[in-house]
Amino acid sequence: MKKVGLVVEDKYPEAIKEISKKLGVKPIIRRQRGRISEKKASAFAKELLRSCEKVIILGDADCNEEGERERLQRIYEHLPEGLRGRVHICIIVHELESWLLADENAISRVLGKNVKPVENPERIHNAKEYLEGLFEKGGKKQHLLAEEIAKHVNVKKLKEKCASFADFERKVRNGNVRRRDA
């Protein structure tokens, strides 16, 4: 199993780890509290590349995909030249919870009751709030169950419903990226 370093800003690194394992990689995750910064991204990338084939900086769009893409591109451009070929940028539209919402069967299994499918989870601007609502109705705490949903999520369904996940999968599996999308 190849090792991939992930720099994440989300509060669910274990959920990201579970999803990554389904792609056949062993992720080593460094979590940035708050938004990913230039200084931390560079330090984490250097550290992770000592033991990983590549690093993916994984940011949440938080309702501003283009702004986040520009912000992370600036971070990428400030990385030392020697790191850039092995560091990739990926943006989750809009939040990690969008990925979790892609598979209603995984949520239903964890909740113990059926939930309606979400046809396009990336159109839900506050996926975190949407998912919390599902869990509140089921009498459960979402923050305790994100990892459980991730363990049961169907990667094929996730890829079909979330273009940002398809991009993540492509970068995790082969890393072939065009220069402009880092």
Side-chain angles (χ1 to χ4, degrees), residues 14-171:
E14 294 303 316
I16 293 170
K17 184 181 280 188
E18 289 300 324
I19 291 170
S20 298
K21 286 182 196 175
K22 290 175 176 277
L23 298 177
V25 297
K26 180 179 180 179
I28 300 175
I29 297 177
R30 295 296 175 263
R31 180 175 168 233
Q32 166 83 48
R33 294 196 188 278
R35 304 201 30 115
I36 295 169
S37 72
E38 180 182 319
K39 185 177 178 181
K40 284 284 192 179
S42 185
F44 285 153
K46 282 180 191 175
E47 174 202 346
L48 290 166
L49 285 171
R50 290 186 196 126
S51 59
C52 298
E53 292 178 32
K54 67 181 106 181
V55 170
I56 298 172
I57 298 173
L58 186 61
D60 283 355
D62 291 323
C63 301
N64 184 4
E65 185 178 357
E66 192 54 39
E68 185 66 1
R69 187 169 313 286
E70 289 171 10
R71 190 181 79 76
L72 290 178
Q73 185 63 36
R74 284 191 303 274
I75 288 173
Y76 179 83
E77 289 166 1
H78 284 95
L79 290 171
E81 187 69 36
L83 300 182
R84 291 189 201 161
R86 295 175 54 203
V87 175
H88 308 282
I89 302 292
C90 188
I91 299 170
I92 300 174
V93 178
H94 290 279
E95 302 167 311
L96 173 67
E97 288 82 359
S98 303
W99 289 4
L100 299 176
L101 286 169
D103 188 351
E104 71 280 358
N105 295 327
I107 297 169
S108 296
R109 184 172 181 176
V110 171
L111 261 181
K113 70 175 199 160
N114 289 336
V115 297
K116 292 179 184 175
V118 176
E119 291 307 314
N120 189 341
E122 292 184 329
R123 286 202 175 157
I124 298 175
H125 287 273
N126 197 334
K128 189 176 306 233
E129 189 175 288
Y130 186 95
L131 191 59
E132 283 174 0
L134 290 176
F135 279 86
E136 284 175 13
K137 288 177 188 172
K140 308 235 180 188
K141 298 277 187 196
Q142 172 196 333
H143 68 278
L144 301 174
L145 299 172
E147 181 181 354
E148 286 303 309
I149 295 169
K151 285 179 182 178
H152 299 292
V153 76
N154 179 319
V155 190
K156 183 178 178 189
K157 189 178 276 193
L158 183 50
K159 186 176 170 180
E160 289 168 0
K161 289 186 173 183
C162 297
S164 64
F165 177 77
D167 180 52
F168 175 71
E169 179 190 38
R170 181 176 57 81
K171 289 173 180 171

